[in-house]
Structures are given as structure tokens and as C-alpha cells.
């Protein structure tokens, strides 16, 4: 076995260790985003479920593919290395799709958010206990107040609008006393930021995988050439 083949072989092996860790990172990121957005799915009408779920699935697949790549590199199996390269290419395409979906979905939720949150706010004012619970949850989580802002509440603001949320607080006293940003704007920003993180990470990992594809094809070609030399 030549020095060139040894170098590419162990380079691919090291890449697969990093690749396995990246799969774990994708899995954890997908779970975190899915968990963080779960409380807001009522407003999103399920529109933001797809990107994090796809990322979780890809993260799991990456673990299996990384194992295949390690085995192929160590055993110098042309078939396994080529299969690994094909899987990497497939994952590359999927991650580009996830990245695109995350960006599109994060920019495609404005009308859904406005309609859903406005309805929840109307139900809140009508005394609906479920709407009360939902608004308080989102206000507490996103540090916001009301649909458009604190002016949505006449008189005293609910505890979750207050910076110190042990008691209700008066309106129009500013950001030191209560949150001044409306939950519609805060939720849109949260979804947009989540989409940027998901999309950026997915596309970033996708281009890293191009390096793995190049390593795998180089190793497969070297293995094939060595086999031909032995056969002569």
C-alpha cells in the first residue's frame, strides 16, 4: 500500500469521525429548534415542523453513513467507499433542501402569525382561559406584551408583560417596567432567527460534505488502481 493511499485512507477516516460529530450536532440542533418552536406551533399552523424534523432524520442517517465510511476506509473496500460517496451526495442534496426550506418557511409565516395571534388575543380579551394561558406563555418566553404591544391591554398589564413578573404593572411606564415590543413582532423575529440558524447550519454542513465526497472518490480510485496492479 503506497504512501498516497495511506494518506487519503486515514484522511477519510478522520473526516468520518468529524462527520459523525456533525451528525450529532445536526440531531441536537434539530431537537432543540423543534422543542423551542413547539409552543408556537399553534400560531404557525405546523408550517415550521418540516425543517427541524428533516434535520433530525439527516443527523441520524449521518451516523450510519459515517460508520460505513470508516469501515470502507479501513477495509479498503472500493464498493463501500463508493456507496459512502453516493450516500454523502444524497445527504448533501437533502441538506441543501433543508436549508432552503428553513429560509422559505421563516419568511412565509407572517400572515399565519398575524391571523393566529390576533385571534388568540381576541379570545384572551373575551375571557377564554386557554387563550389566557397561551398568551401568558408566549409573553413570558419571548419577553413581549400583547399582539401589537402593551396598548392592547386596557389598564394594568398582565404579570407576564412586566419585567419583574411577580405583580401586574401599569402601562406606559417604559421598558424598565414592562416589555414594549408586541408578540407578533417578537414571534416573527424568533421564527426568522430559527430559520437562519437551521438554514445556515444545514447548508454549511452540506458544503463540508463535498470535501468528504472528494476524499471518498480519491480513495476509491486509488483502491481500484491498486487492485488492477495486483491483477497484472
Amino acid at each position: 500500500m503506497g504512501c498516497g493511499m495511506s494518506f487519503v485512507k486515514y484522511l477519510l477516516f478522520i473526516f468520518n469521525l468529524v462527520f459523525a460529530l456533525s451528525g450529532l450536532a445536526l440531531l441536537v440542533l434539530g431537537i432543540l429548534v423543534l422543542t423551542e418552536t413547539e409552543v408556537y406551533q399553534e400560531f404557525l399552523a405546523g408550517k415550521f415542523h418540516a425543517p427541524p424534523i428533516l434535520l433530525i432524520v439527516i443527523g441520524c442517517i449521518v451516523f450510519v453513513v459515517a460508520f460505513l465510511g470508516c469501515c470502507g476506509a479501513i477495509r479498503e473496500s472500493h464498493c463501500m467507499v463508493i456507496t459512502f460517496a453516493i450516500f454523502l451526495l444524497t445527504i448533501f442534496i437533502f441538506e441543501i433542501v433543508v436549508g432552503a426550506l428553513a429560509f422559505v418557511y421563516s419568511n412565509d409565516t407572517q400572515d399565519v402569525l398575524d391571523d393566529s395571534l390576533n385571534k388568540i388575543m381576541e379570545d384572551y380579551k373575551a375571557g377564554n382561559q386557554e387563550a389566557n394561558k397561551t398568551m401568558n406563555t408566549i409573553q413570558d418566553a419571548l419577553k413581549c406584551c400583547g399582539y401589537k404591544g402593551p396598548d392592547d391591554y386596557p389598564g394594568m398589564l398582565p404579570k407576564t408583560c412586566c419585567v419583574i413578573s411577580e405583580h401586574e404593572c401599569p402601562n406606559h411606564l417604559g421598558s424598565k417596567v414592562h416589555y414594549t415590543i408586541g408578540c407578533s413582532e417578537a414571534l416573527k423575529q424568533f421564527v426568522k432567527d430559527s430559520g437562519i440558524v437551521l438554514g445556515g447550519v444545514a447548508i454549511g454542513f452540506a458544503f463540508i460534505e463535498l470535501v468528504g465526497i472528494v476524499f471518498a472518490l480519491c480513495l476509491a480510485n486509488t483502491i481500484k488502481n491498486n487492485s488492477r496492479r495486483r491483477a497484472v
Side-chain angles (χ1 to χ4, degrees):
M1 181 171 61
C3 290
M5 182 168 175
S6 295
F7 177 74
V8 177
K9 171 183 172 179
Y10 289 109
L11 204 59
L12 184 61
F13 182 78
I14 292 170
F15 171 82
N16 274 289
L17 291 179
V18 176
F19 188 51
L21 291 176
S22 75
L24 179 62
L26 291 175
L27 179 63
V28 170
L29 179 64
I31 291 172
L32 285 175
V33 173
L34 190 62
T35 302
E36 287 293 318
T37 58
E38 189 63 34
V39 69
Y40 312 122
Q41 289 302 328
E42 182 175 351
F43 307 103
L44 302 175
K47 280 183 172 285
F48 207 70
H49 261 138
I53 288 176
L54 278 174
L55 214 57
I56 291 170
V57 172
I58 289 173
C60 293
I61 293 172
V62 161
F63 266 118
V64 178
V65 173
F67 177 76
L68 176 66
C70 286
C71 291
I74 295 301
R75 296 179 60 184
E76 299 176 21
S77 168
H78 180 267
C79 179
M80 289 182 74
V81 172
I82 287 295
T83 304
F84 169 71
I86 292 171
F87 277 136
L88 266 188
L89 181 60
T90 304
I91 292 172
F92 169 80
I93 294 170
F94 270 119
E95 285 187 341
I96 292 294
V97 170
V98 170
L101 282 176
F103 286 125
V104 169
Y105 280 13
S106 65
N107 292 322
D108 192 36
T109 55
Q110 185 168 345
D111 292 339
V112 175
L113 289 173
D114 279 337
D115 293 343
S116 300
L117 195 55
N118 189 35
K119 184 178 184 305
I120 294 292
M121 191 68 206
E122 289 175 357
D123 291 343
Y124 179 98
K125 291 178 179 179
N128 184 291
Q129 290 302 309
E130 191 62 33
N132 185 306
K133 181 179 177 181
T134 301
M135 278 305 300
N136 281 322
T137 298
I138 193 172
Q139 285 173 167
D140 185 54
L142 295 180
K143 310 303 180 189
C144 57
C145 186
Y147 168 52
K148 291 294 185 182
D151 288 342
D152 287 328
Y153 295 106
M156 298 293 283
L157 299 175
K159 294 178 182 180
T160 50
C161 279
C162 308
V163 175
I164 301 175
S165 58
E166 295 178 3
H167 307 285
E168 294 179 337
C169 56
N171 198 353
H172 306 300
L173 292 182
S175 58
K176 290 185 178 180
V177 176
H178 58 75
Y179 305 120
T180 56
I181 185 174
C183 290
S184 176
E185 182 181 346
L187 186 55
K188 288 173 192 173
Q189 189 61 48
F190 172 80
V191 172
K192 183 178 180 180
D193 291 344
S194 297
I196 289 172
V197 170
L198 274 178
V201 169
I203 291 175
F205 276 120
F207 283 101
I208 290 173
E209 280 151 22
L210 281 177
V211 177
I213 293 171
V214 171
F215 287 162
L217 292 178
C218 287
L219 180 59
N221 185 58
T222 305
I223 293 171
K224 188 174 181 179
N225 288 338
N226 282 358
S227 298
R228 284 175 178 173
R229 290 192 193 101
R230 290 194 209 100
V232 173

